[in-house]
Amino acid sequence: MGASLPPKEANLFKLIVKSYETKQYKKGLKAADAILKKFPDHGETLSMKGLTLNCLDRKAEAYELVRLGLKNDLKSHVCWHVYGLLYRSDREYREAIKCYRNALKIDPDNIEILRDLSLLQAQMRDLAGFVETRQQLLTLKPNHRMNWIGFAVAHHLNSNASKAIDILEAYEGTLEDDYPPENERTEHSEMLLYKISLLEECGFLQRAIEELNKKELKIVDKLSYKEQEVSLLVKLNRLEEAEQLYRVLLLMNPDNYRYYEGLQKCVGLYAGNNQYSPNEIEQLETLYKSLSQQYTWSSAVKRIPLDFLQGEEFYKEADNYIRPLLTKGVPSLFSDLSPLYNQPGKADILEKLILELEQSIRKTGGFPGRLDKEPPSTLMWTFFLLAQHYDRRGQYEVALAKIDEAIEHTPTVIDLYSVKSRILKHAGDLTAAAALADEARCMDLADRYINSECVKHMLQADQVSLAEKTAVLFTKDGDQHNNLHDMQCMWYELASGESYFRQGDLGRALKKFLAVEKHYADITEDQFDFHSYCLRKMTLRTYVEMLKFQDRLHSHAYFFKAASGAIRCYIKLFDCPPKSGTEEDEEMAKLLPSQKKKMRQKQRKAEARAKKEAESKSEETASGNASKSGKRNVKAVDPDPNGEKLLQVEDPLTDATKYLKLLQTNSFNSLETHLLSFEVYMRKQKILLALQALKHLLRLDAESPETHRCLIRFFNKVNTMPVPVSDAELLVSSVLEAERSTISQLDEKSLTDVNLLFLQKHKDSLMHRAAVAEMIYLLEPNKKSEAISLIEESSNNIISIHGALGPVTEWRLKDTIAVHKLLEGVFLDQDAASRWKSRCAEYFPYSTYFEGSRSSAVSNSHINSITQNSENGASNPPEVSHAASSMVRNGKLETFKDLKI
């Protein structure tokens, strides 16, 4: 390194390297310039100067200098190594690996290059190469612990755990008997636990437990030791020993649900679906009664029996569980009980129980069968629980009545307003839900969670600008909106992206969805530093878990939402491309001179307003970025804040396919993945790929209305295809014929018959009827009125849930909205859409979409008319004035003005 230079310049070159390592970049540049004055063509110095400039964000100069240095000295391993580091900094890992391999051809035993190469191979999951590089490092430095461990981990990741065990045992053979010293006990303990987990993975269970017992004194983490031991005992079927050990673990942590599950397995009383025989339930009840006497303060030991108990026993245990939590005032009680609603009959029992508690507290001030009086807050928390219960069952009017009683009882509890907001959201009044969430936020301005919940409600109500202003209250001063992006606030970006999509602003929607996709790319990138850190710190089990997590990262729900949102945007962009400049000019030419003048004035005003907003934002950013020392942290300005450039894609479906492939790889069993695949491939005229997506849909859910739509659409498209002529067309046609016979739904029937048969199977379902009606209109457009009648004849049946306070109907709000959009957008029948809207307004009186009688949309228009009448001199009836004043108060804190605390 710098060997071809005279001693003085060689020392300067060492200074460049040291300055780079210590991040003293200006000092390094000064030394590089001093060498280059005398030796302007010295390749290694040019490369190091380029690497230093790269750290100062002068990338173009950096690449130019490094390439020039490499050109001047192609046989220098330093130049190739630096070139690789440059690519690595830009996440061009494959190019970096090529550069490292070229460097190793020149200097095959260079430890630093080998180490850097191994990190990149781990990052890119080149596991065979990772094993090879790690073996080379161990051969060169066998006295280094990290090389032994790295070689073992490489074999484990390459699906050769038995070889990894042999390597770790060979490493232990090099250690002295009194190893480890006190300062290395934790690292050595982690290595031993990792080795035992490998033995378990390979199925060497007896050997694993012998090794565990033998190394007990050297293992520092006693909890992990016991958990590993009990896992091995269960797998070895030594259940009595495992049972005793689980009881020891429960003494350490009596609220760990996994320990109770393990204990149940040991005594032969565990079923994953909670389906037990009466005899098993009796035994479980006895077990948990003895455990509850032993662990009196454990909440888990009281909660778990509610999952398996039935009937009267369930009622008694639920009563014992709920009472103290109502007295204490635990807001999360309903969240704790909500999984029980999925078990038949338990929701009815809970309703009966809570109503009895409410009636008793109202009458006597205490719980049934007790003389002690409850504190006044217990009644309020009972109302709170009942409101959530009725909300869960879809009885929104009763839920709102209960939560209003709770608010009237104690108007200062924030949780009440949050829950009322949630009930209104479920009932369909998103505007009122946002106003109430804002009211809850105003009651505690220092609570980030309530602020976030308020923002989410605002975004659901499409109040994006207001949501943004509320969200940035909890960000750092300065560049506030970008701060949300820097914090990887994905729930906000997804919710705002969905809001923009609903409003038809595809540019901004795409920008938000792609921002989430970038966060996942950053998370993938962030694992890079852990490849060396975890081997050094010996956190090997966690390291392997982290790598497995990274491998399934793109199956996470947030990524799925972002990718599917982006694909929907690209599909809509393909269906309705934005107008080009020439098209806009042609439209302008058709206008009258006066209309042209007005249009230009509007455009100028809009441009001026946008410019003014941008200037004010930049001023705020500049003033906010000034720190106490007076220095400013300048951030790059977003060149495309509205996502307009994202709309200027030549082929939206190509971009959609990029994200579609990620979903197909990572969310293969999701119905939506294959629905999106079908839509994209049908538009791209990729018939066989569309057929593949259809077959996956039939595999996942053949009875879904969406699957039925795709089936009819696909074969209707096939039936209207021209007669095949070329060899490729004939091949496609033969494949389609062969596959058609394998689809049981078709069975040599016409598409009309298939459609009617589907209707007969699902005649009571609204969404299935809507799908059939749409397909009738597709197959026979002249039967439009018949198709619409099929939808309108659907009946909203009552669900038999034995509700104590009123019936619950079958239809869901989002389904009825989808049907209205179908009538409006596909059938293009405004009269039918209007009739449907009027009908649904009765079923969903709180829905703003259908303008229900109790929704804020109707109330606000009513108040506006009252205000106009009063301005014109008309007097209002007292009850109307009261209603108006109460609506005006909504979302503000007028209620608490006269309150004294």
Side-chain angles (χ1 to χ4, degrees):
M1 189 162 64
S4 59
L5 293 169
K8 183 183 175 184
E9 281 71 24
N11 288 332
L12 279 173
F13 188 85
K14 287 176 184 176
L15 179 63
I16 299 170
V17 176
K18 188 179 177 182
S19 300
Y20 170 74
E21 289 170 352
T22 55
K23 299 184 180 180
Q24 295 177 310
Y25 303 124
K26 288 184 180 178
K27 192 176 180 182
L29 282 177
K30 192 176 178 183
D33 288 336
I35 296 171
L36 291 171
K37 273 184 183 177
K38 290 186 179 179
F39 303 96
D41 296 329
H42 188 252
E44 292 181 359
T45 305
L46 286 166
S47 294
M48 283 305 300
K49 184 181 178 182
L51 187 62
T52 307
L53 287 172
N54 183 59
C55 296
L56 296 170
D57 287 332
R58 291 159 66 179
K59 287 193 178 292
E61 293 175 67
Y63 272 100
E64 190 180 339
L65 282 168
V66 171
R67 283 170 183 149
L68 181 61
L70 189 60
K71 184 181 175 183
N72 290 344
D73 195 351
L74 269 173
K75 292 189 177 180
S76 165
H77 70 271
V78 173
C79 292
W80 281 109
H81 189 190
V82 167
Y83 201 19
L85 290 171
L86 207 59
Y87 274 125
R88 192 185 82 178
S89 71
D90 286 339
R91 303 184 185 182
E92 297 281 350
Y93 295 133
R94 297 194 187 282
E95 294 299 321
I97 287 172
K98 288 178 190 174
C99 294
Y100 289 156
R101 289 198 181 281
N102 284 330
L104 288 169
K105 285 176 186 174
I106 299 160
D107 186 3
D109 295 338
N110 189 301
I111 298 286
E112 285 183 17
I113 300 172
L114 283 168
R115 194 182 297 121
D116 285 347
L117 176 61
S118 74
L119 298 180
L120 285 183
Q121 287 168 330
Q123 180 79 2
M124 298 302 292
R125 303 296 189 270
D126 175 13
L127 300 177
F130 186 41
V131 169
E132 184 186 330
T133 307
R134 275 288 158 194
Q135 185 172 11
Q136 204 171 342
L137 280 165
L138 180 60
T139 308
L140 290 169
K141 269 201 170 183
N143 59 340
H144 202 298
R145 179 186 71 183
M146 192 171 160
N147 290 339
W148 284 95
I149 303 303
F151 190 36
V153 170
H155 273 291
H156 181 204
L157 295 175
N158 199 32
S159 305
N160 193 352
S162 58
K163 183 70 175 174
I165 294 165
D166 295 339
I167 293 163
L168 290 173
E169 287 183 340
Y171 165 66
E172 284 184 275
T174 66
L175 304 175
E176 296 175 5
D177 293 337
D178 60 346
Y179 189 87
E182 193 62 35
N183 63 336
E184 291 183 21
R185 283 193 68 201
T186 304
E187 287 89 340
H188 188 66
S189 164
E190 280 296 316
M191 189 274 289
L192 293 172
L193 286 168
Y194 174 63
K195 178 187 166 187
I196 290 156
S197 70
L198 287 175
L199 288 166
E200 184 181 12
E201 190 178 314
C202 290
F204 306 142
L205 302 177
Q206 188 59 43
R207 188 175 156 196
I209 203 157
E210 287 170 5
E211 183 74 12
L212 189 68
N213 294 330
K214 183 180 170 185
K215 299 289 172 60
E216 181 179 0
L217 295 174
K218 291 189 176 183
I219 293 173
V220 176
D221 187 348
K222 296 303 177 187
L223 180 63
S224 292
Y225 174 87
K226 285 183 170 60
E227 288 180 339
Q228 183 71 68
E229 185 181 10
V230 80
S231 171
L232 291 167
L233 287 170
V234 170
K235 287 181 180 177
L236 286 164
N237 210 30
R238 289 158 61 176
L239 299 179
E240 288 183 10
E241 294 173 66
E243 182 188 343
Q244 294 305 314
L245 194 48
Y246 268 124
R247 290 183 184 275
V248 172
L249 285 166
L250 282 169
L251 279 170
M252 296 168 71
N253 182 2
D255 280 315
N256 190 317
Y257 277 65
R258 287 190 298 110
Y259 296 162
Y260 289 104
E261 186 182 305
L263 183 60
Q264 284 181 224
K265 285 177 181 175
C266 291
V267 296
L269 294 171
Y270 178 75
N273 57 1
N274 284 321
Q275 299 296 318
Y276 297 99
S277 67
N279 184 43
E280 287 174 330
I281 290 173
E282 195 177 325
Q283 290 178 53
L284 278 169
E285 194 177 355
T286 307
L287 172 67
Y288 276 95
K289 275 181 182 173
S290 67
L291 289 171
S292 64
Q293 289 168 4
Q294 195 173 355
Y295 314 117
T296 51
W297 292 105
S298 168
S299 62
V301 80
K302 295 167 190 166
R303 171 63 184 82
I304 292 169
L306 299 182
D307 291 328
F308 59 78
L309 289 173
Q310 301 292 331
E312 194 60 36
E313 291 301 320
F314 171 75
Y315 179 91
K316 286 177 187 174
E317 287 301 320
D319 190 18
N320 293 333
Y321 184 71
I322 289 170
R323 285 188 187 194
L325 298 179
L326 286 177
T327 305
K328 194 176 180 182
V330 177
S332 60
L333 175 57
F334 180 78
S335 300
D336 188 13
L337 297 174
S338 61
L340 299 172
Y341 284 71
N342 298 323
Q343 297 183 31
K346 288 193 175 179
D348 294 333
I349 296 171
L350 285 172
E351 183 171 315
K352 180 186 171 188
L353 167 62
I354 303 164
L355 285 172
E356 284 179 7
L357 293 176
E358 180 205 9
Q359 287 165 10
S360 177
I361 297 167
R362 277 182 191 273
K363 288 177 183 177
T364 66
F367 289 129
R370 284 192 191 172
L371 297 174
D372 299 338
K373 298 287 183 183
E374 287 295 313
S377 62
T378 306
L379 181 59
M380 183 270 292
W381 290 114
T382 308
F383 291 145
F384 182 71
L385 181 59
L386 271 171
Q388 292 174 90
H389 164 81
Y390 286 117
D391 177 38
R392 172 67 183 257
R393 305 198 85 175
Q395 295 172 273
Y396 302 120
E397 288 189 43
V398 186
L400 286 167
K402 291 296 177 187
I403 202 67
D404 284 339
E405 280 190 81
I407 291 171
E408 190 179 342
H409 185 285
T410 313
T412 53
V413 178
I414 300 171
D415 295 286
L416 303 179
Y417 297 88
S418 296
V419 164
K420 186 173 181 181
S421 169
R422 214 168 297 137
I423 295 167
L424 283 167
K425 181 191 82 170
H426 297 156
D429 197 339
L430 299 176
T431 309
L436 265 162
D438 194 43
E439 189 163 331
R441 180 188 69 81
C442 292
M443 292 169 74
D444 187 355
L445 296 171
D447 192 316
R448 184 194 288 265
Y449 170 75
I450 295 171
N451 181 275
S452 299
E453 197 174 53
C454 173
V455 169
K456 203 164 188 180
H457 281 295
M458 286 172 173
L459 290 170
Q460 287 163 350
D462 293 336
Q463 300 169 357
V464 182
S465 57
L466 185 59
E468 186 181 325
K469 288 173 185 174
T470 308
V472 299
L473 294 173
F474 276 87
T475 61
K476 292 177 184 176
D477 293 332
D479 192 8
Q480 295 176 326
H481 185 65
N482 282 343
N483 195 258
L484 285 167
H485 178 78
D486 295 339
M487 290 192 298
Q488 297 186 340
C489 191
M490 288 188 267
W491 67 263
Y492 172 79
E493 288 167 332
L494 284 170
S496 54
E498 290 291 348
S499 179
Y500 282 129
F501 183 78
R502 285 192 297 271
Q503 295 174 67
D505 191 342
L506 295 182
R508 283 192 172 101
L510 257 179
K511 193 167 182 66
K512 293 295 181 186
F513 290 135
L514 297 185
V516 176
E517 190 269 336
K518 186 182 181 302
H519 294 325
Y520 277 87
D522 291 339
I523 293 167
T524 303
E525 167 65 19
D526 288 343
Q527 72 179 298
F528 187 85
D529 294 330
F530 290 97
H531 297 309
S532 57
Y533 174 84
C534 291
L535 294 181
R536 192 170 68 251
K537 292 293 184 181
M538 300 289 276
T539 55
L540 305 174
R541 292 174 300 154
T542 311
Y543 174 58
V544 172
E545 280 177 24
M546 185 269 291
L547 293 180
K548 288 177 180 175
F549 163 75
Q550 288 282 355
D551 290 340
R552 61 176 187 273
L553 180 67
H554 289 95
S555 62
H556 192 269
Y558 276 4
F559 179 81
F560 182 85
K561 287 178 184 175
S564 58
I567 293 165
R568 281 186 281 118
C569 287
Y570 284 124
I571 289 172
K572 200 166 183 180
L573 198 57
F574 176 81
D575 292 343
C576 309
K579 291 177 182 176
S580 63
T582 53
E583 286 175 346
E584 286 178 2
D585 291 341
E586 285 172 10
E587 283 189 8
M588 197 75 147
K590 293 174 186 176
L591 297 174
L592 296 170
S594 59
Q595 290 175 323
K596 282 183 190 177
K597 189 178 179 182
K598 283 181 183 177
M599 185 71 76
R600 288 196 184 102
Q601 282 177 346
K602 279 184 181 178
Q603 286 175 350
R604 278 197 292 270
K605 282 180 182 177
E607 285 170 9
R609 199 182 302 116
K611 189 178 179 182
K612 193 175 180 182
E613 283 176 7
E615 284 173 0
S616 64
K617 273 191 177 181
S618 64
E619 283 173 15
E620 285 172 16
T621 303
S623 60
N625 283 341
S627 61
K628 288 180 183 177
S629 60
K631 293 181 180 179
R632 289 185 178 179
N633 304 315
V634 181
K635 282 197 174 187
V637 179
D638 188 352
D640 185 25
N642 298 328
E644 289 167 5
K645 290 180 182 176
L646 294 172
L647 299 178
Q648 296 166 8
V649 287
E650 289 183 14
D651 185 5
L653 295 182
T654 303
D655 286 40
T657 307
K658 182 174 74 174
Y659 298 106
L660 191 59
K661 285 178 179 175
L662 283 169
L663 291 186
Q664 289 170 335
T665 306
N666 298 285
S667 301
F668 186 71
N669 289 322
S670 167
L671 198 71
E672 192 178 348
T673 296
H674 301 295
L675 285 170
L676 291 169
S677 302
F678 182 82
E679 295 296 341
V680 169
Y681 293 135
M682 285 292 279
R683 284 165 174 78
K684 290 182 83 174
Q685 305 296 320
K686 304 279 187 183
I687 295 297
L688 292 182
L689 287 174
L691 174 63
Q692 186 184 56
L694 175 61
K695 292 196 76 174
H696 287 309
L697 288 170
L698 291 166
R699 172 182 61 83
L700 290 168
D701 188 358
E703 302 305 316
S704 162
E706 295 299 334
T707 302
H708 177 70
R709 277 191 181 96
C710 294
L711 178 70
I712 301 295
R713 279 175 56 201
F714 179 79
F715 283 102
N716 184 55
K717 167 87 173 173
V718 170
N719 293 343
T720 55
M721 282 169 64
V723 178
V725 178
S726 65
D727 291 343
E729 288 173 349
L730 287 166
L731 183 62
V732 169
S733 179
S734 63
V735 171
L736 291 172
E737 283 302 316
E739 289 294 335
R740 186 169 191 153
S741 61
T742 64
I743 296 172
S744 60
Q745 283 82 358
L746 298 175
D747 194 26
E748 298 184 1
K749 291 189 284 287
S750 69
L751 294 181
T752 304
D753 292 341
V754 171
N755 201 30
L756 292 174
L757 188 64
F758 188 77
L759 174 63
Q760 289 170 14
K761 286 172 75 176
H762 304 283
K763 60 184 177 183
D764 294 328
S765 166
L766 172 65
M767 293 310 289
H768 288 81
R769 290 175 76 95
V772 169
E774 188 181 347
M775 292 304 101
I776 288 172
Y777 182 50
L778 175 73
L779 296 170
E780 300 172 272
N782 58 325
K783 291 189 176 180
K784 177 180 173 180
S785 58
E786 184 184 320
I788 291 170
S789 298
L790 184 64
I791 294 173
E792 292 183 329
E793 286 166 9
S794 304
S795 56
N796 192 5
N797 301 319
I798 293 172
I799 304 171
S800 56
I801 60 166
H802 310 296
L805 294 176
V808 179
T809 52
E810 191 176 43
W811 290 358
R812 293 185 299 171
L813 178 61
K814 69 173 186 177
D815 292 343
T816 55
I817 291 172
V819 171
H820 182 263
K821 288 178 178 175
L822 179 70
L823 291 167
E824 209 171 35
V826 176
F827 289 99
L828 303 173
D829 191 323
Q830 292 300 323
D831 292 337
S834 179
R835 290 195 301 271
W836 183 259
K837 188 173 184 178
S838 302
R839 184 181 176 188
C840 290
E842 294 175 14
Y843 293 129
F844 304 100
Y846 291 95
S847 168
T848 47
Y849 183 88
F850 292 120
E851 296 179 5
S853 57
R854 300 186 186 181
S855 70
S856 58
V858 172
S859 302
N860 288 340
S861 63
H862 181 49
I863 289 163
N864 290 339
S865 67
I866 291 167
T867 310
Q868 285 167 10
N869 287 339
S870 62
E871 283 173 0
N872 295 330
S875 60
N876 298 321
E879 66 274 11
V880 173
S881 301
H882 175 72
S885 63
S886 66
M887 279 303 298
V888 170
R889 283 206 306 268
N890 191 21
K892 298 180 183 177
L893 291 178
E894 294 294 323
T895 317
F896 309 104
K897 191 166 64 175
D898 303 322
L899 192 71
K900 292 181 181 177
I901 299 173

